[in-house]
Amino acid sequence: MPQTTLDPEIATFVKTMARAWAAYPPFMTMPLEEARAVAEAVRAPWRAGGPTMAAVREHMAPSSTGTVRVRIYDPGVTSPAPVLIYLHGGGFTLFSLDTHDRLMREYAAAGGFLVAGVDYPLSPEARYPLALDQIVDIVDWLAGPGAAEVGADPARIAIGGDSAGAHLSMAAALMLRDRGNNAALRGLLLNYGAFGGPCSDASEAAYGGPDAVLNRAEVDYYLANYLGAADAYPDDPYARPCVADLTGLPPAFLVIPDRDVLAEQSRDMAALLGKAGVQVEAREYAGATHSFLEAMSISALARQAIADGAAWVKARLAP
């Protein structure tokens, strides 16, 4: 297991976050709505500042299980414009369009494309496959009647997200492929993804534990919220993309912080994608932890990773 020194700016982010959380009871002991409110408050300072958009618009998109709020970040691009669908992290349980507001603005500004943030339903209230089904419906909507509504080019769509959002992005791509609609997506942006595999003892020992940004107990908790039990659906590729046949998927870009308990899942996924013949680029960021992109206001490493991902998406969505 590689060992690197924690990047000093990322260390400041981790310590600041830990101090903010320390003002509240342990996360998993709080009622869920209280925990979500605390998570929003702890994350609030990290979404301040950043680029100004030409427009931010919200749309209610149709799905088979009700309407879904979609927030469009427009940096001032000419319509019809390429679009990155972005799915926030939070273990299928926490966070929102607001916690990830700055990150989506940064991607839009750096890449010169629209970003469509999806307000997918959280677990355990909305368990698998509800959020996934709605996300696939959003892709279909943006590739169809929704394109004109939001000013998107239906032929230039990518999808991505962080942590649980990367999991949902992979699962959506798999479902679209299996439905014969793989051409709907030009690329996958997978930031420190959780792909449904177990956290190894070595990874937990090196990068987990009670003081980590993310540890194995939390990964299991989040999976149980989403799937009903941490070990549920062991052979379902949409519930656990790590067991899927990956052939025929769109190209993928993986952002891997090397001091993340989930880094091994991203490395494994990159290898599996390559073996399946998928065009894949996996880039590691030494000294970075899970959630490090949120440190963009103080971290050069986070800003570089955002720029790298934005440039890759921009190239994939070129005319």
Side-chain angles (χ1 to χ4, degrees):
M1 186 73 61
Q3 293 285 344
T4 59
T5 303
L6 189 62
D7 177 88
E9 293 168 337
I10 300 298
T12 298
F13 167 71
V14 172
K15 291 175 184 176
T16 304
M17 290 278 286
R19 283 197 301 268
W21 276 108
Y24 302 95
F27 162 68
M28 285 190 285
T29 68
M30 287 187 278
L32 190 51
E33 285 308 311
E34 182 180 342
R36 285 172 177 158
V38 170
E40 294 283 330
V42 167
R43 250 60 183 193
W46 301 100
R47 66 175 183 256
T52 299
M53 297 287 97
V56 178
R57 304 179 296 271
E58 295 203 347
H59 301 258
M60 297 305 296
S63 83
S64 58
T65 54
T67 56
V68 184
R69 184 166 62 117
V70 177
R71 183 180 292 171
I72 302 295
Y73 294 87
D74 181 357
V77 292
T78 301
S79 179
V83 58
L84 168 67
I85 299 170
Y86 199 83
L87 309 174
H88 67 79
F92 313 99
T93 302
L94 305 174
F95 302 160
S96 65
L97 296 179
D98 294 332
T99 57
H100 284 60
D101 175 80
R102 177 167 178 176
L103 180 56
M104 291 188 284
R105 285 186 284 118
E106 293 281 358
Y107 275 127
F113 43 70
L114 300 176
V115 173
V118 180
D119 187 24
Y120 62 85
L122 299 178
S123 298
E125 299 93 328
R127 285 197 165 123
Y128 170 79
L130 182 59
L132 175 59
D133 287 342
Q134 290 191 355
I135 290 162
V136 170
D137 288 341
I138 295 301
V139 177
D140 290 339
W141 177 71
L142 282 172
E149 183 176 335
V150 307
D153 183 341
R156 291 192 288 162
I157 301 173
I159 194 169
D162 53 278
S163 197
H167 179 295
L168 290 165
S169 298
M170 277 289 299
L174 289 164
M175 189 171 285
L176 287 161
R177 179 203 63 187
D178 294 345
R179 293 180 180 180
N181 195 23
N182 195 45
L185 297 174
R186 289 272 197 100
L188 307 173
L189 174 63
L190 307 173
N191 297 327
Y192 34 86
F195 299 114
C199 291
S200 71
D201 291 342
S203 186
E204 171 67 7
Y207 308 124
D211 298 324
V213 174
L214 181 71
N215 60 47
R216 180 162 58 186
E218 291 169 330
V219 172
D220 290 345
Y221 168 78
Y222 292 136
L223 269 178
N225 279 346
Y226 181 53
L227 300 178
D231 58 355
Y233 303 99
D235 302 316
D236 184 336
Y238 306 139
R240 297 182 186 274
C242 62
V243 303
D245 170 9
L246 304 175
T247 56
L249 287 184
F253 183 89
L254 288 89
V255 169
I256 308 175
D258 73 344
R259 295 185 61 89
D260 179 9
V261 74
L262 292 179
E264 61 185 1
Q265 293 200 25
S266 286
R267 294 185 187 113
D268 289 347
M269 180 56 70
L272 290 169
L273 286 164
K275 288 179 182 177
V278 177
Q279 181 183 334
V280 59
E281 181 175 349
R283 194 165 299 182
E284 297 212 12
Y285 297 84
T289 65
H290 197 76
S291 296
F292 82 106
L293 297 182
E294 295 179 57
M296 68 198 89
S297 61
I298 65 168
S299 167
L301 191 61
R303 292 191 293 272
Q304 183 61 58
I306 293 168
D308 293 342
W312 186 89
V313 172
K314 181 178 182 178
R316 290 302 313 161
L317 297 182

